[in-house]
Each structure stands twice: as C-alpha cells, then as structure tokens.
Amino acid sequence: MSTRDKGQYAEEVVAQELTSNGHVIIGRNIYGKGGELDIVSRKGRYIYVYEVKSHLVQERSMDYDPFFAVNPQKVERMRHVYYQKVFPQYPSIPVRFVAARVKIINSIPEIDFVEIL
C-alpha cells in the first residue's frame, strides 16, 4: 500500500466513523495557503477539524506513533487554513481541532482521537 493510498484509506475510515457517530462531514481535503484540512465536520454546537495520521503497524515499527507528526507548526497551519476557508461560512460556531490516528494492524484499522488544544 502506497503512502498516498494509506492516507486516503485512513481518511475514509475516519470519515465513516464520524458519520456513524452523528457527525455531518462538511468538507474533506480543504486546501488553503500553507496547508490542508483532512476532514471538517459538524456535530451539535461545534465544528471539528481533523488531522488524520495513519500508520501501517509492522513488527519493527511498533514504537512509532503518528501523533508525533502533529507538532505545533502543523497545528498552526491547520488553524490558518481553518480561518481562511471554514470560519467565514460558520463564524459563530466554536471549533475543536482533533488529531485522528489510524493504526492499520493486519489490515484492520484502529482509530484513536486526541483533541488538540
């Protein structure tokens, strides 16, 4: 599985999980100056912005955690794109930024979510 295929698969898995839990997907792969938002959804009184990270788990790579790739610079780019592209359409709705980790173990995805402060 190529890196691109793995990323697209992980984003689809997360989108399906969100939808099954009552989220309405309002955007995917939203590009702005300096970055991209993988998934944007709405549930209740919040807009959620997701950065999806995937990891194909193999014996030698068990210690790697894709959450490490969501560093302060990445979060700042996410916020910048959000305020460029999403906020103008939903200015009165509070936003939450979330990292979604998809570990693929023996072709079975496991999803974890961590809110980014």
Side-chain angles (χ1 to χ4, degrees), residues 8-68:
Q8 288 176 338
Y9 171 74
E11 287 179 16
E12 186 60 35
V13 167
V14 170
Q16 289 175 7
E17 177 74 13
L18 294 173
T19 301
S20 71
N21 284 300
H23 287 253
V24 175
I25 305 298
I26 58 176
R28 290 182 65 177
N29 305 112
I30 299 171
Y31 291 90
K33 186 175 183 179
E36 173 200 10
L37 305 177
D38 292 332
I39 300 172
V40 179
S41 71
R42 183 170 182 185
K43 181 178 180 183
R45 60 178 285 239
Y46 292 100
I47 296 289
Y48 294 85
V49 177
Y50 290 88
E51 174 64 19
V52 178
K53 293 296 179 187
S54 59
H55 179 50
L56 183 59
V57 177
Q58 300 170 341
E59 284 286 324
R60 64 183 186 283
S61 64
M62 291 296 284
D63 293 336
Y64 173 74
D65 190 334
F67 278 150
F68 290 129

Side-chain angles (χ1 to χ4, degrees), residues 36-39 47-53 66-79 95-101 112-117:
E36 173 200 10
L37 305 177
D38 292 332
I39 300 172
I47 296 289
Y48 294 85
V49 177
Y50 290 88
E51 174 64 19
V52 178
K53 293 296 179 187
F67 278 150
F68 290 129
V70 185
N71 58 37
Q73 295 82 10
K74 176 64 178 174
V75 174
E76 184 59 33
R77 288 192 303 270
M78 289 172 64
R79 291 182 192 282
V95 63
R96 291 186 168 176
F97 292 87
V98 181
R101 173 179 59 193
D112 295 304
F113 297 100
V114 173
E115 187 166 355
I116 302 167
L117 302 176

Side-chain angles (χ1 to χ4, degrees), residues 13 53 55 57 100-105 108-112:
V13 167
K53 293 296 179 187
H55 179 50
V57 177
R101 173 179 59 193
V102 180
K103 286 187 176 182
I104 305 165
I105 304 169
I108 300 169
E110 293 181 7
I111 307 169
D112 295 304

